């Protein structure tokens, strides 16, 4: 990490630690979640989708029903409140699918902060609707034209902005990657997903699920739902990465499954890189998973064997996308569809293995409205 | 005494600041980068800083980004940097982001650089807290370790960071990324003064320096002046290789005159 940003990272660490132990901060955040985000989010049992999952009982944690349509708002509201606490007036954010950008623009509007969102030019095309949403919310969207023109380059550009304007600007990083304290801080703001789910499952079925599944790009929604279950050894934690055209083709974004240890954006983790340590371009039909790094805590959970990580191809994800839409009336984000495709596989496997009822909890991290164009094109629906 | 230290001593004896010129290895091609570096030295640059192109240069502005992308697209490999260092006619340091060094192997990188005749390495994104393997391998090969400090670096931290620096301390003139600016911010002078209070190692100022006038100003208070993007821009804007090298040499000459107080 550049020395120029150490001061800002230290300041952020302090603000985060103070906020954690400050009841007023916690009350303010919880009140916003109750009256603005729409928390707690509900759990829906997907009875018809269960058919495609080997008959396993499927429970969906409905983060898609949050204000702005995904789990991203949990972290954004937390960091936006921290921004005010630090006395800063401007936030910058990177975005891939646009969900984090939209959530950031929303929080900025709510709290009266200036907001600039960096987005790879490639992604501004894939997610034109979200670009318009951010602009309507009063944010400035800057298309990034360097490198692969996707999420990783948007992060580079946001870092450059931050180092230039650090005195009055907070970098509202949207995932559990990047330098300390971001991975733990962003996790802390998302762990409410797992805390709620764990209690809800006990209430609904009187026991914990056999496995918890979530898609993993940077890994924020996954760590959010995993965290409460880390000490429940009976619960398998399964992260589904973007396998793109297939890990064996090299065109994918499955960083843990197909990457190697390295340093990217100020964190040591798994990275898609060549033999010289140059970052390789990632590929995924889902802009939100299209990142060649992954949160360091996922790398750790993988290494100690507490969580498992698998790759789901574009085609598998799109099949699950279509099946959930048609069997449950819920159009998921394409990112989330990777977790659903994982449930189809894991449900079948576990049903065969233990011969008794299997229960899977899936983080339905976002809704698919933003993906209608991509999906229509994929399925050949004329627009 | 290293060649780098001798260069500082010579500059001091001549009552002037040291001039450090930066160019990326492999930009636009390996051969051309070597010739451009030679042109820089002929023009009067004292010390060469060879950049190791990286896919995600977060501390660099658009000019160095473009040059790095071109070098990588033209097939630059990490080990090519040692060829450039070996061919450089002046004392030479490498500037590299951390991941390529780690991937190459920290000890191997240091050994190869020493064999190529390199003086040391500038690491813009490596913190002292993460430097254990780096400190031991550069110590073993007797290479200079240059860390970058910024106007935002606190006095307390300046003392800690500069303790691990040798050769010189890279003072970033402003909060931002590399690339020519119209004015050098006043933050540079106060940063140099703060560094001088905690360290006897020479302090060189870089980031945003492109003209003789700016170099003259910085020479009044710093031990060295670092210029990079301005050289690259000349190469990018030239129609031919010979035109590029002539312009590089002439900017070096202008800057070399300016650092003489």
């Amino acid at each position: 990490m550049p020395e120029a940003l150490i001061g800002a990272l230290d300041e952020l660490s302090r603000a985060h630690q103070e906020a954690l132990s400050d009841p007023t901060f916690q009350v303010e955040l919880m009140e916003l979640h109750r009256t603005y985000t729409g928390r707690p989010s509900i759990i829906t049992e997907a009875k018809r989708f269960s058919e495609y999952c080997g008959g396993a009982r499927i429970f969906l944690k409905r983060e898609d029903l949050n204000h702005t349509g995904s789990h991203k708002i949990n972290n954004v509201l937390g960091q936006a409140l921290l921004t005010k606490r630090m006395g800063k007036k401007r936030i910058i954010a990177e975005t891939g699918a646009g969900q984090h950008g939209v959530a950031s623009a929303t929080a900025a509007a709510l709290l009266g902060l200036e907001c600039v969102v960096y987005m790879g030019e490639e992604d501004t095309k894939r997610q034109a609707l979200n670009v318009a949403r951010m602009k309507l919310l009063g944010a400035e969207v800057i298309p990034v034209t360097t490198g692969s023109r996707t999420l990783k380059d948007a992060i580079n550009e946001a870092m450059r902005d931050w180092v230039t304007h650090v005195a009055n600007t907070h970098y509202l990083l949207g995932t559990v990657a990047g330098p300390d304290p971001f991975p733990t801080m962003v996790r802390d703001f998302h762990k409410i997903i797992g805390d709620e789910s764990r209690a809800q499952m006990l209430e609904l079925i009187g026991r914990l699920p056999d496995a918890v599944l979530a898609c993993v790009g940077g890994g924020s929604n996954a760590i959010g739902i995993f965290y409460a279950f880390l000490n429940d050894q009976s619960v398998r934690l399964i992260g589904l990465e973007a396998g793109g055209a297939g890990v064996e083709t090299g065109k994918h974004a499955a960083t843990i499954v197909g990457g190697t240890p390295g340093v990217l954006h100020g964190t040591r983790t798994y990275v898609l890189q060549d033999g010289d340590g140059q970052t390789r371009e990632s590929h995924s039909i889902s802009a939100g998973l299209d990142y060649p790094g992954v949160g360091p805590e996922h790398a750790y959970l993988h290494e100690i064997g507490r969580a498992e990580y698998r790759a789901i191809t574009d085609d598998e994800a799109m099949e699950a996308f279509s099946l959930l839409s048609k069997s449950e009336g819920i159009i998921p984000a394409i990112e989330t569809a990777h977790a659903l495709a994982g449930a189809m596989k894991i449900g079948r496997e576990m049903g065969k293995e233990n011969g008794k009822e299997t229960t899977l909890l899936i983080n339905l991290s976002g809704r698919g409205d933003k993906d209608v164009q991509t999906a229509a094109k994929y399925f050949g629906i004329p627009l | 005494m290293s060649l780098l230290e001798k260069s500082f001593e010579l500059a001091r004896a001549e009552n002037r600041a040291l001039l450090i010129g930066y160019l990326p290895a492999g930009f636009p091609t390996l051969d051309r980068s070597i010739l451009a570096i030679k042109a820089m030295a002929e023009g009067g640059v004292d010390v060469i800083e060879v950049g190791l192109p990286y896919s995600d240069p977060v501390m660099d502005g658009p000019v160095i980004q473009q040059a790095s992308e071109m070098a990588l697209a033209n097939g630059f490999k990490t080990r090519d940097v040692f060829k450039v260092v070996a061919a450089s006619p002046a004392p030479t340091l490498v500037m590299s982001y951390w991941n390529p060094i780690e991937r190459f192997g920290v000890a191997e990188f240091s050994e190869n650089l020493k064999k190529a005749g390199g003086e040391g390495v500038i690491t813009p994104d490596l913190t002292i807290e993460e430097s254990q393997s780096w400190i031991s391998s550069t110590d073993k090969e007797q290479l200079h370790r240059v860390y970058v400090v910024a106007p935002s670096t606190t006095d307390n931290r300046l003392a800690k960071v500069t303790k691990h620096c040798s050769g010189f301390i890279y003072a970033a003139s402003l909060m931002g990324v590399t690339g020519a600016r119209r004015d050098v911010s006043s933050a540079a002078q106060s940063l140099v003064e703060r560094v001088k209070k905690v360290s006897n190692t020479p302090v060189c100022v870089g980031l945003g320096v492109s003209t003789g006038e700016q170099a003259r100003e910085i020479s009044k208070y710093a031990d060295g002046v670092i210029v990079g993007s301005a050289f690259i821009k000349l190469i990018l804007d030239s129609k031919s290789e010979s035109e590029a090298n002539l312009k590089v040499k002439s900017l070096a000459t202008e800057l070399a005159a300016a650092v003489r107080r």
Side-chain angles (χ1 to χ4, degrees):
Chain A
M1 214 45 210
E3 195 60 41
L5 289 172
I6 298 296
L9 292 168
D10 285 347
E11 179 190 19
L12 183 59
S13 282
R14 274 195 306 276
H16 173 226
Q17 289 305 323
E18 283 167 20
L20 278 182
S21 54
D22 177 358
T24 20
F25 180 88
Q26 298 300 333
V27 167
E28 192 180 0
L29 181 57
M30 288 316 293
E31 190 56 15
L32 270 182
H33 279 330
R34 194 177 68 80
T35 60
Y36 191 73
T37 309
R39 300 210 75 91
S41 64
I42 58 170
I43 285 191
T44 300
E45 180 165 8
K47 289 187 176 151
R48 278 174 32 81
F49 183 67
S50 157
E51 263 178 56
Y52 307 109
C53 306
R57 286 184 80 180
I58 301 294
F59 292 89
L60 307 174
K61 177 63 172 165
R62 300 293 304 278
E63 292 295 301
D64 61 319
L65 296 180
N66 292 340
H67 182 42
T68 72
S70 79
H71 71 291
K72 292 291 185 189
I73 191 83
N74 302 326
N75 164 51
V76 160
L77 287 176
Q79 285 198 51
L81 287 180
L82 278 185
T83 306
K84 290 197 86 164
R85 204 181 164 93
M86 291 186 289
K88 294 185 172 182
K89 302 263 187 279
R90 177 175 181 264
I91 57 171
I92 54 171
E94 82 295 342
T95 197
Q99 292 304 88
H100 175 58
V102 167
S104 298
T106 301
L110 178 70
L111 298 174
L113 299 165
E114 185 191 339
C115 178
V116 174
V117 179
Y118 290 92
M119 189 169 185
E121 192 184 42
E122 190 65 31
D123 293 336
T124 60
K125 289 181 196 150
R126 287 197 275 192
Q127 305 287 346
L129 193 64
N130 269 344
V131 174
R133 285 170 81 193
M134 287 183 266
K135 289 182 178 167
L136 289 171
L137 290 161
E140 184 185 353
V141 180
I142 301 183
V144 175
T145 56
T146 51
S148 58
R149 304 175 182 213
T150 59
L151 184 55
K152 127 185 131 65
D153 306 284
I155 295 179
N156 290 343
E157 214 48 41
M159 292 250 188
R160 293 180 185 120
D161 179 314
W162 199 28
V163 76
T164 310
H165 301 107
V166 69
N168 72 345
T169 298
H170 173 59
Y171 179 15
L172 209 161
L173 188 70
T175 191
V176 287
D180 181 61
F182 284 109
T184 42
M185 181 180 67
V186 176
R187 176 204 68 205
D188 285 346
F189 288 134
H190 280 307
K191 73 184 166 71
I192 192 168
I193 306 171
D195 290 340
E196 285 177 6
S197 308
R198 194 173 181 283
Q200 286 166 319
M201 289 305 289
L202 287 173
E203 199 183 307
L204 277 168
I205 61 167
R207 65 181 189 89
L208 297 174
D210 298 306
V212 177
L213 292 85
C215 63
V216 175
S220 65
N221 90 81
I223 209 76
I225 197 163
F226 286 176
Y227 202 63
F229 295 95
L230 279 185
N231 294 324
D232 299 315
Q233 294 301 331
S234 68
V235 181
R236 287 172 69 182
L237 304 176
I238 303 166
L240 289 313
E241 297 193 304
V247 174
E248 68 290 348
T249 65
K251 287 192 170 300
H252 64 89
T255 315
I256 294 180
V257 174
T260 47
V263 174
L264 178 65
H265 295 140
T267 195
R268 177 179 305 283
T269 183
Y270 285 86
V271 178
L272 298 182
Q273 57 184 333
D274 69 12
D276 270 3
Q278 306 288 348
T279 312
R280 276 185 9 221
E281 279 185 30
S282 56
H283 296 269
S284 171
I285 190 166
S286 115
L289 303 182
D290 207 348
Y291 178 58
V294 66
E297 208 162 7
H298 286 294
Y300 174 72
L301 292 175
H302 167 71
E303 290 199 345
I304 63 168
R306 179 62 189 97
E308 312 156 45
Y309 297 85
R310 298 192 184 189
I312 296 294
T313 64
D314 288 350
D315 289 342
E316 290 168 335
M318 293 312 289
E319 186 195 4
F321 176 96
S322 168
L323 289 174
L324 188 81
S325 302
K326 288 178 178 154
S327 64
E328 299 290 341
I330 299 171
I331 299 179
I334 296 177
E335 289 77 14
T336 311
H338 288 71
L340 296 162
M344 290 167 63
K345 288 188 176 179
I346 300 290
R348 286 171 196 158
E349 285 172 19
M350 287 180 82
K352 276 185 201 141
E353 277 165 26
N354 50 21
K356 62 179 172 70
E357 184 186 82
T358 301
T359 305
L360 305 181
L361 170 67
I362 299 151
N363 194 1
L364 202 82
S365 54
R367 61 175 174 242
D369 306 34
K370 69 182 174 61
D371 293 317
V372 167
Q373 205 167 2
T374 307
K377 192 173 155 202
Y378 181 89
F379 293 114
I381 302 167
L383 282 176
Chain B
M1 192 184 281
S2 69
L3 291 176
L4 178 65
E5 287 162 333
K6 277 184 196 150
S7 303
F8 276 109
E9 197 163 81
L10 181 70
R12 256 193 305 272
E14 293 176 4
N15 188 32
R16 66 179 176 90
L18 192 81
L19 178 62
I20 303 177
Y22 168 97
L23 277 174
F27 162 73
T29 63
L30 198 60
D31 293 343
R32 283 191 58 182
S33 67
I34 291 171
L35 291 172
I37 281 166
K38 287 182 174 163
M40 231 169 27
E42 277 169 30
V45 163
D46 301 297
V47 168
I48 307 287
E49 181 189 339
V50 175
L52 197 155
Y54 176 50
S55 52
D56 296 272
V58 293
M59 287 301 288
D60 287 305
V63 172
I64 293 183
Q65 286 173 46
Q66 192 186 343
S68 303
E69 277 181 32
M70 282 172 74
L72 291 171
N74 287 333
F76 172 85
K77 291 282 169 201
T78 299
R79 59 177 63 257
D80 293 335
V81 82
F82 307 118
K83 295 179 195 156
V84 179
V85 171
S88 167
T92 301
L93 296 100
V94 168
M95 200 284 327
S96 179
Y97 289 89
W98 182 246
N99 201 48
I101 295 179
E102 183 175 291
R103 189 75 180 159
F104 192 82
V106 173
E108 292 79 357
F109 191 92
S110 305
E111 280 164 31
N112 277 277
L113 181 59
K114 190 68 183 182
K115 262 187 229 151
E119 290 291 301
V121 186
I122 302 162
T123 45
D125 65 344
L126 180 67
T127 58
I128 50 168
E129 286 80 3
E130 302 289 338
S131 290
Q132 277 163 333
S133 65
W134 182 236
I135 289 172
S136 59
S137 78
T138 43
D139 276 350
K140 183 170 169 243
E141 301 296 340
Q142 293 186 303
L143 289 166
H144 289 297
R145 267 189 311 275
V146 180
Y147 292 92
V148 182
V149 297
S152 64
T153 311
T154 60
D155 288 343
N156 191 7
R157 207 165 156 85
L158 274 183
K160 283 189 203 161
V161 174
T162 55
K163 219 168 56 190
H164 295 289
C165 285
S166 79
F168 67 92
I169 294 154
Y170 192 128
S173 71
L174 46 76
M175 292 302 292
V177 295
T178 59
R181 309 286 202 289
R182 208 153 38 114
D183 305 304
V184 171
S185 90
S186 59
Q189 185 167 0
S190 69
L191 175 61
V192 171
E193 283 163 7
R194 290 197 296 126
V195 175
K196 292 277 180 195
K197 281 187 195 147
V198 294
S199 172
N200 294 321
T201 309
V203 187
C204 299
V205 172
L207 250 66
V209 189
S210 61
T211 66
E213 200 180 325
Q214 292 168 329
R216 187 171 296 116
E217 200 52 42
I218 293 166
S219 301
K220 289 177 188 162
Y221 56 83
D223 302 295
V225 179
I226 306 167
V227 179
S229 299
F231 284 115
I232 295 172
K233 188 114 197 356
L234 291 177
I235 296 173
L236 285 171
D237 293 346
S238 293
K239 287 185 196 72
S240 69
E241 184 182 357
S242 54
E243 180 192 336
N245 290 341
L246 272 176
K247 284 183 174 167
V248 164
K249 187 177 168 185
S250 127
L251 176 62
T253 306
E254 180 197 334
L255 294 166
V259 296
R260 275 151 231 271
R261 296 174 183 126

